[in-house]
């Protein structure tokens, strides 16, 4: 494998908004992967998913899926909790039919819980999800994402701990979110290299060879992430990130979530060999 570059969802320049057209456009642009965004719900059916798989395989485009945004595995409300679990399961089921193994999601909010209690609840729910997927013989890797808002569970430490304590769980490392979460603290080559060293120390070298990464321009306020921006309009040091990824031999997928999607994905792909 290598480090593949792609977009979070269908490229802006795709002539049509459906997933298969998006994959074709990713291929035309010279990008290598795409994350299917189930932002407001998993609305794709099995037949469509198989069609998407065919298109992606024929063009050699790697896929991942992002579960719907509204997920809170620490919700005190039973119904909301069950709906969150279902959203992750459905994303994995349809993703798997699309040929995507990695299922990215935001684990949830601390709410009124202590960080430790929130972690324990999220871990328990994730453990159940892993069990269900195993029973259904779905070969998915669950990827809790490092989150940008300080009210959300999803520090690098939490995501690594979930990954080391549960089978079939590995991190989705969103470096822009970590920059925003630390309110600009994590924004140098040294900071990014330290994160990669921590991943290697916790999960082994193999984890660096199958990474799932998000990057974009971003800004922040007191609570962390404020908005995603175009890379060049943001202070997020993407060149330092790329250099650290290169030095650590990171392989896998790097998904660009900037508002201009493919333009920044192409910028990252172009800069990567030069950093
Ligand atoms: Zn995300």
């Amino acid at each position: 494998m290598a480090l593949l570059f792609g977009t979070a969802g269908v490229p802006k320049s795709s002539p049509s908004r459906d997933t298969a057209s998006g994959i074709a456009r990713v291929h035309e642009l010279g990008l290598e992967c795409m994350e299917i965004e189930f932002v407001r719900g998993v609305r794709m059916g099995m037949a469509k998913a198989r069609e998407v798989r065919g298109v992606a395989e024929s063009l050699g485009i790697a896929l991942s899926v992002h579960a719907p945004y509204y997920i809170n595995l620490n919700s005190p409300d039973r119904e909301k909790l069950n709906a969150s679990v279902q959203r992750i399961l459905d994303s994995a089921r349809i993703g798997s039919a699309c040929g995507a193994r990695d299922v990215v999601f935001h684990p949830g909010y601390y709410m009124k819980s202590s960080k430790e209690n929130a972690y324990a609840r999220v871990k328990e729910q994730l453990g159940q999800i892993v069990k269900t997927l195993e029973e259904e013989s779905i070969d998915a890797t669950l990827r809790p994402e490092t989150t940008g808002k300080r009210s959300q569970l999803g520090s690098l430490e939490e995501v690594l701990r979930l990954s080391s304590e549960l089978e079939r769980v590995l991190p989705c490392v969103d470096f822009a979110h970590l920059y925003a979460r630390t309110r600009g603290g994590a924004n140098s080559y040294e900071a990014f290299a330290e994160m990669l060293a921590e991943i290697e120390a916790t999960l082994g070298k193999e984890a660096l060879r199958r990474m799932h990464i998000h990057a974009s321009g971003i800004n922040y306020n007191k609570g962390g992430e404020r908005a995603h921006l175009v890379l060049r309009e943001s202070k997020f040091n993407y060149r330092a990130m790329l250099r650290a990824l290169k030095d650590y031999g990171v392989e896998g997928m790097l998904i660009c979530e900037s508002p201009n999607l493919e333009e920044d994905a192409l910028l990252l792909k172009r800069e990567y060999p030069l950093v």
Side-chain angles (χ1 to χ4, degrees):
M1 219 180 169
L3 186 58
L4 309 178
F5 292 84
T7 54
V10 173
K12 297 271 173 204
S13 57
S14 175
S16 164
R17 303 313 305 156
D18 67 284
T19 303
S21 307
I23 293 167
R25 184 62 188 146
V26 161
H27 177 256
E28 258 174 22
L29 287 163
L31 294 168
E32 298 133 333
C33 57
M34 188 177 105
E35 187 158 281
I36 300 173
E37 303 291 313
F38 295 135
V39 175
R40 274 172 252 284
V42 184
R43 304 235 171 96
M44 190 187 285
M46 273 294 171
K48 187 79 198 164
R50 286 191 202 101
E51 187 191 317
V52 163
R53 180 182 196 138
V55 173
E57 283 180 359
S58 72
L59 297 174
I61 300 299
L63 296 176
S64 60
V65 297
H66 195 306
Y69 284 150
Y70 194 76
I71 283 175
N72 185 3
L73 296 177
N74 184 38
S75 177
D77 179 325
R78 250 298 132 193
E79 236 168 88
K80 285 181 182 159
L81 185 62
N82 291 341
S84 297
V85 168
Q86 281 311 316
R87 287 181 182 117
I88 296 175
L89 286 172
D90 287 344
S91 299
R93 289 170 182 139
I94 295 295
S96 162
C98 290
R101 185 191 240 183
D102 297 312
V103 182
V104 177
F105 57 95
H106 307 166
Y109 293 82
Y110 298 116
M111 319 285 287
K112 291 183 165 60
S113 326
S114 68
K115 290 197 169 174
E116 195 52 41
N117 284 344
Y119 177 85
R121 295 199 72 219
V122 167
K123 182 186 162 186
E124 187 196 333
Q125 296 304 321
L126 265 187
Q128 288 299 324
I129 292 169
V130 168
K131 204 164 144 239
T132 303
L133 292 175
E134 276 175 352
E135 282 162 8
E136 295 181 19
S137 305
I138 291 173
D139 183 20
T141 301
L142 298 172
R143 300 269 187 176
E145 180 176 335
T146 58
T147 48
K149 291 201 168 77
R150 299 165 71 90
S151 57
Q152 291 172 298
L153 186 136
S155 65
L156 183 63
E157 292 66 30
E158 285 164 336
V159 165
L160 290 182
R161 194 174 156 201
L162 286 169
S163 304
S164 65
E165 292 179 354
L166 293 168
E167 294 294 320
R168 293 170 184 273
V169 175
L170 283 174
C172 169
V173 182
D174 188 319
F175 286 99
H177 279 169
L178 290 172
Y179 159 74
R181 189 182 181 92
T182 57
R183 295 180 289 213
N187 202 32
S188 62
Y189 174 82
E190 290 69 26
F192 298 130
E194 198 180 304
M195 290 174 188
L196 294 171
E198 200 179 329
I199 295 168
E200 186 177 330
T202 316
L203 303 174
K205 243 190 173 57
E206 320 84 73
L208 293 182
R209 302 288 177 269
R210 49 181 297 209
M211 283 272 275
H212 197 78
I213 298 161
H214 284 175
S216 68
I218 201 163
N219 60 9
Y220 57 86
N221 56 22
K222 196 160 96 328
E225 171 184 2
R226 193 164 153 246
H228 283 202
L229 304 173
V230 167
L231 282 170
R232 283 177 168 150
E233 291 168 9
S234 161
K235 293 192 174 72
F236 172 61
N237 192 349
Y238 62 91
R239 283 196 186 82
M241 172 194 74
L242 289 174
R243 194 147 53 81
L245 294 175
K246 200 155 120 180
D247 287 353
Y248 276 79
V250 169
E251 298 180 8
M253 291 190 221
L254 193 159
I255 296 292
C256 176
E257 289 191 317
S258 293
N260 65 357
L261 294 177
E262 64 265 43
E263 283 178 43
D264 274 356
L266 287 164
L267 173 72
L268 291 165
K269 184 176 159 66
R270 264 197 319 272
E271 299 253 343
Y272 177 69
L274 309 173
V275 289

